[in-house]
Amino acid sequence: MRTRTPLALLAGTALAAGAVVVLPAATATAATVRYEAERAPATCDGTIDTNHSGYSGTGFCNGRNAVGAAAQFTVDAPQAGTATLTVRFANGTTTARPANVTVNGSAAASTSFQGTGAWASWTTKTLTVPVRAGGNVIRLSPTSADGLPNIDHLDADTAGTPSPTGPALYVSPNGSDGASGTESNPTTLTSAISRVTPGGTIYMRGGTYRYTQTVTIPSGNNGTSGDRTELAAYPGETPVLNFSAQSESSSNRGLAVNGSYWHIRGLVVERAGDNGIFVGGSNNVVERTVTRFNRDTGLQLSRMSSSSPRDQWPSHNLILSAESHDNADSDGEDADGFAAKLTVGPGNVFRYAVAHHNIDDGWDLYTKTDTGPIGAVTIEDSFAYDNGTLSDGSQAGNGDRNGYKLGGDGIAVDHVVRRSIAYENGKHGFTYNSNPGRMQISDNVSVGNRQRNFNFDSGSTSVFRNNTSCDSGSNDRIIGDADGSNQFWSGSNGSRCSSYSGAMDWSFASDGRLVVTFGGTAVTP
């Protein structure tokens, strides 16, 4: 979950049909158990109070205003895997209250509880954490002297990914090449890739794996259309592939997926000398990955080599519920969050993906004249924010700084971008970047981008339906087929926007959906 205070926020209930959908307040379901903060098995480092209305149960936890004054819950899980936690809270101040989340004594997440306007104004925050089978001690521990907000309850959905069953290879940071690859005698990732059978599974135990060279799934090492080969985090654990020993070079990628019909799930790939994850194969699924601090684009789709013929360019890959952030190259003009550019085939899709704080663009679909048009790409239900500025506040003058950059060199490609959000990027939110194709731009929202929220200039033939634009640095530039279902920015708020203080958050739900909140109201793009 990420939190910050915006320049302007969407009034979700007033948006056009299809732009955003307001989700109902969190409630307990058949798969969810509610744990009230005022009674066992919860504990509160503070007092149990009843002086602010709107709480559930018999009261709420009013923690001490001190670092470490925690609220703690013991949550039961039927199996090892992941749990989705929904914390109901109220923070009547204007100052966000940051906290760390630990599970069974291990760091699991960090978050920040934004101001809710009044102590009787309750809202929720959603987190995904690893759990083991049986009891799990989940601790919300404030990291500032303001302490926690008032905590009403925690809803825990523990129907997450189950423990592995059936034949599999296991790897760990201290595994050895000659090991059998069982759970008790794990092998290395490179050895497991060479030994896994089509449709088999490689489970990576949690911890940091340090590499000096690219880890490659080679071309020809394929799963099947009916049974993908899996490379997955062991349920409830987080494997981190760290390539910080590499120098910045186009030959120093992190994980290269050149095989086809693979399913990559739950990995963190960081600090590679080039792309964090490079996909050169086809029909792959890359799910729940984080690519961060790499020295080129975090996750990129492109051909494997300059000799790869067009019919072997990567096609029909799905990037799902993935995050890419703080990727930056030394000259500050190439490192994006996600890219499908230069040499990709048809059918590639990004869904429920988040690109933020990358030095160049959130998404880059660049084409160039010497390789010609790429296949049409679909981006849907995704989010790009604060691109052009890293999380530490640093910038680079050469970066383009767009949320979604959709073309290049005047080459027509009919991309599809729908139900996605661009927010406070350093230049444009959505830009055609000289793509004269008939792109379908529908049900998107663009807010507070520094230049234009939508920039589709001379030569654009794109189709615009049900898009919403609020509070950009300049009026939108729209050339193409745009009807009255759109609200573009022309210097004032329209009926779909409202300027008020609040906070922006996002998280992935347990089913992988992206949920974004503006001003405490949960929406899905």
Side-chain angles (χ1 to χ4, degrees), residues 175-497:
S176 61
D177 286 340
S180 61
T182 61
E183 195 164 3
S184 60
N185 188 24
T187 186
T188 64
L189 177 56
T190 52
S191 177
I193 289 171
S194 70
R195 290 154 53 184
V196 69
T197 56
T201 301
I202 300 170
Y203 284 105
M204 295 190 72
R205 301 305 302 258
T208 300
Y209 297 72
R210 299 189 182 278
Y211 298 103
T212 60
Q213 296 181 327
T214 302
V215 175
T216 300
I217 298 172
S219 176
N221 185 341
N222 303 330
T224 68
S225 59
D227 190 8
R228 287 184 172 87
T229 304
E230 291 198 53
L231 171 58
Y234 186 91
E237 299 182 4
T238 303
V240 178
L241 283 66
N242 181 288
F243 294 87
S244 58
Q246 291 181 339
S247 60
E248 183 173 334
S249 168
S250 60
S251 63
N252 283 335
R253 291 165 176 150
L255 175 64
V257 185
N258 293 334
S260 296
Y261 291 107
W262 278 72
H263 187 175
I264 312 297
R265 176 164 46 88
L267 312 185
V268 176
V269 184
E270 63 181 16
R271 304 186 187 281
D274 194 68
N275 305 128
I277 297 177
F278 176 85
V279 180
S282 297
N283 298 291
N284 298 294
V285 177
V286 182
E287 181 180 5
R288 297 267 189 169
T289 58
V290 179
T291 46
R292 64 192 185 191
F293 306 112
N294 299 291
R295 284 160 280 179
D296 206 304
T297 296
L299 189 156
Q300 180 168 324
L301 282 63
S302 287
R303 65 185 178 185
M304 286 176 271
S305 74
S306 60
S307 62
S308 299
R310 180 177 287 270
D311 63 1
Q312 292 180 19
W313 289 3
S315 305
H316 303 290
N317 295 289
L318 172 62
I319 312 304
L320 181 65
S321 304
E323 178 186 4
S324 192
H325 69 92
D326 287 284
N327 299 290
D329 55 319
S330 57
D331 60 10
E333 61 179 350
D334 293 322
D336 309 299
F338 300 102
K341 62 183 182 182
L342 303 175
T343 51
V344 297
N348 294 300
V349 176
F350 294 85
R351 181 180 301 138
Y352 307 140
V354 179
H356 64 96
H357 293 104
N358 298 288
I359 203 66
D360 197 23
D361 302 304
W363 267 265
D364 190 352
L365 308 186
Y366 191 76
T367 55
K368 62 180 182 179
T369 53
D370 60 345
T371 49
I374 63 175
V377 175
T378 296
I379 303 172
E380 57 189 13
D381 304 292
S382 293
F383 190 21
Y385 71 93
D386 275 327
N387 291 291
T389 302
L390 301 180
S391 293
D392 65 6
S394 60
Q395 299 178 340
N398 294 330
D400 288 340
R401 310 179 72 197
N402 301 295
Y404 302 84
K405 186 170 75 178
L406 305 177
D409 277 6
I411 298 172
V413 185
D414 298 340
H415 300 306
V416 176
V417 185
R418 57 195 174 204
R419 299 186 305 274
S420 294
I421 297 174
Y423 175 73
E424 288 199 347
N425 295 287
K427 193 175 182 182
H428 304 309
F430 298 84
T431 179
Y432 83 137
N433 203 50
S434 81
N435 180 352
R438 193 171 176 81
M439 292 184 282
Q440 303 296 314
I441 311 297
S442 62
D443 302 301
N444 300 295
V445 177
S446 198
V447 179
N449 298 285
R450 296 300 189 269
Q451 290 193 24
R452 291 185 175 127
N453 286 334
F454 291 88
N455 182 63
F456 291 75
D457 212 327
S458 177
S460 169
T461 63
S462 292
V463 178
F464 303 88
R465 297 292 184 269
N466 294 316
N467 298 289
T468 300
S469 175
C470 304
D471 297 316
S472 67
S474 301
N475 292 349
D476 291 325
R477 177 71 167 167
I478 298 296
I479 295 177
D481 178 359
D483 65 11
S485 66
N486 301 283
Q487 175 190 282
F488 292 117
W489 180 251
S490 59
S492 62
N493 278 323
S495 61
R496 303 178 191 173
C497 297

